[in-house]
Amino acid sequence: LGNQIWKNTDKKWQLISKGVDGNNQVIRGFDVNKSNPQQMFVSFDQPTWSPSNLTQKLFRSLDGGASWEDITAKLGIIAWHHVTSVVSNPNNPKEVYASLGRIDTDQLHKVYKSTDGGDTWTNFSDGLPKYETIKLSYEPNSKVLIMSTVAGFYYCNEKMNSWKPISGKIPNIETRDFEVDPAGKYLYAATYGNGVWRLKIPKKWYRTN
């Protein structure tokens, strides 16, 4: 809710963002792990603009929001970017991905991956364009990561080391939001200025070799 986080328990809403200070910026990314709901991540809009002030942009909770740890400094590249979305593997809470906003003209820093729950990060951007990322989603049915960017969709499954563009009827334009249906058969996309589209998920997404 803007820059606050609320949790519904027994039909009552509880504010759980105490200790989370995004310096009055808007929340851009939020993740609750499906197999371990006690693990949460939240990120805020806008870069820090200084490598000497890596605070207040990325937070982690391991107790369901009762307390939060500022882990901005663990993702050093955030000094010049902001985390547009953060997702964790539903079956492996330690595996976390963060997508980064900002156009890169020289080096690409679009997605970073952590295999230890956010303590350390490595660049996972091979194959992605230099354009802004918008939303990142991990789909458990196909074990695939889906990324929406200003230049369309990209995907990567668990056996791939680089991203590939998603071809289909959805135009390669900015997509503000998207969802995959629970059965994992269709992707629904809300584009910027070009309507809402539906794409049947290709069978190749499920391939892991």
Side-chain angles (χ1 to χ4, degrees), residues 95-111:
E95 185 180 327
V96 187
Y97 299 85
S99 62
L100 304 177
R102 183 189 171 194
I103 295 178
D104 290 305
T105 57
D106 48 3
Q107 292 179 305
L108 294 180
H109 299 280
K110 301 287 92 180
V111 177

Side-chain angles (χ1 to χ4, degrees), residues 135 137 139 141-142 144 146 178-188 201 205-206:
K135 182 177 179 179
S137 178
E139 302 305 327
N141 289 326
S142 56
V144 68
I146 304 172
F178 69 90
E179 294 291 338
V180 175
D181 73 80
K185 295 183 178 180
Y186 291 96
L187 182 152
Y188 295 86
I201 294 179
W205 285 15
Y206 295 86

Side-chain angles (χ1 to χ4, degrees), residues 18-82:
K18 183 179 180 181
V20 178
D21 184 2
N23 198 24
N24 296 319
Q25 297 297 334
V26 175
I27 291 174
R28 286 295 302 270
F30 184 71
D31 179 75
V32 179
N33 186 264
K34 291 184 179 180
S35 61
N36 178 20
Q38 295 298 301
Q39 177 183 287
M40 300 178 179
F41 289 90
V42 62
S43 68
F44 287 87
D45 199 8
Q46 299 300 314
T48 66
W49 300 118
S50 172
S52 62
N53 183 32
L54 294 177
T55 62
Q56 301 176 309
K57 295 301 177 182
L58 182 61
F59 292 82
R60 173 180 62 190
S61 175
L62 299 177
D63 53 16
S67 63
W68 294 87
E69 177 188 2
D70 188 338
I71 61 170
T72 309
K74 297 180 184 294
L75 184 59
I77 192 64
I78 204 172
W80 313 111
H81 300 75
H82 63 277

